Amino acid sequence: RLKLPDKKKYGFVFFVYQVYEVMDMCLLWLPYPLMLVNRAVCGFLGSNSAILRSSAVQRYIPERLRSRVNALSSVLLTTWASVFSLLMGFLGEVLDYRWCVTLGGAATLLACRFLIGDRRQDVRKVYEMSDCDKNEVSATDAATEI
């Protein structure tokens, strides 16, 4: 078990997002044995980044807002997953499946670059918030509520 320092969490997660999408883009172009390796690498990296993301977001959001934020996040993710699944289905009717997956991965790669990479200062705060920072924020929230 390795503990990743707070200052390196954002860099690791952003790297995983990029690698994951590149691996998705090339998945259907690979022979079957390499597809298995591809999914194993993505599974390992993806589960680690998901754990980091989940714990970072839960630590960053004040406790009184967590359930609301989690519910909104679930609704938005389900909605957009449904919309994009439908769009990819339409695209699959006119293009080869390999090209659909490649284009979908490229679109996700670009979205990740613009939404997470270009806003790195804001996103980095979420991943690199330490317990000491949280205590300071909690004290500030408590002082503002009084």
Side-chain angles (χ1 to χ4, degrees):
R1 178 176 172 163
L2 297 172
K3 175 143 174 64
L4 195 62
D6 287 339
K7 297 294 178 198
K8 294 188 178 191
K9 287 179 181 177
Y10 168 79
F12 173 75
V13 170
F14 187 67
F15 168 77
V16 169
Y17 291 160
Q18 301 295 305
V19 168
Y20 199 96
E21 292 312 321
V22 169
M23 298 284 267
D24 273 352
M25 289 169 61
C26 67
L27 177 66
L28 296 181
W29 301 96
L30 299 172
Y32 185 69
L34 290 178
M35 285 182 178
L36 295 176
V37 172
N38 180 314
R39 292 295 91 190
V41 170
C42 285
F44 175 76
L45 291 175
S47 62
N48 283 305
S49 76
I51 291 167
L52 279 174
R53 180 181 59 248
S54 176
S55 66
V57 169
Q58 294 304 316
R59 184 173 49 207
Y60 188 77
I61 297 172
E63 192 171 333
R64 60 188 163 76
L65 297 177
R66 283 185 193 157
S67 61
R68 292 179 186 162
V69 170
N70 287 336
L72 178 63
S73 175
S74 293
V75 167
L76 290 175
L77 285 172
T78 302
T79 302
W80 286 112
S82 300
V83 168
F84 284 116
S85 293
L86 190 60
L87 289 174
M88 290 303 286
F90 286 137
L91 193 59
E93 293 294 322
V94 294
L95 290 177
D96 181 45
Y97 294 147
R98 292 182 294 179
W99 284 109
C100 292
V101 171
T102 303
L103 291 173
T108 307
L109 190 65
L110 286 173
C112 178
R113 174 73 179 117
F114 291 123
L115 297 174
I116 297 173
D118 287 353
R119 297 185 49 109
R120 89 178 27 95
Q121 298 300 8
D122 296 324
V123 177
R124 189 180 298 268
K125 291 175 190 174
V126 174
Y127 283 102
E128 296 179 355
M129 182 179 208
S130 66
D131 290 331
C132 297
D133 296 338
K134 182 179 179 176
N135 292 338
E136 290 172 16
V137 170
S138 297
T140 306
D141 285 346
T144 359
E145 289 179 6
I146 294 178

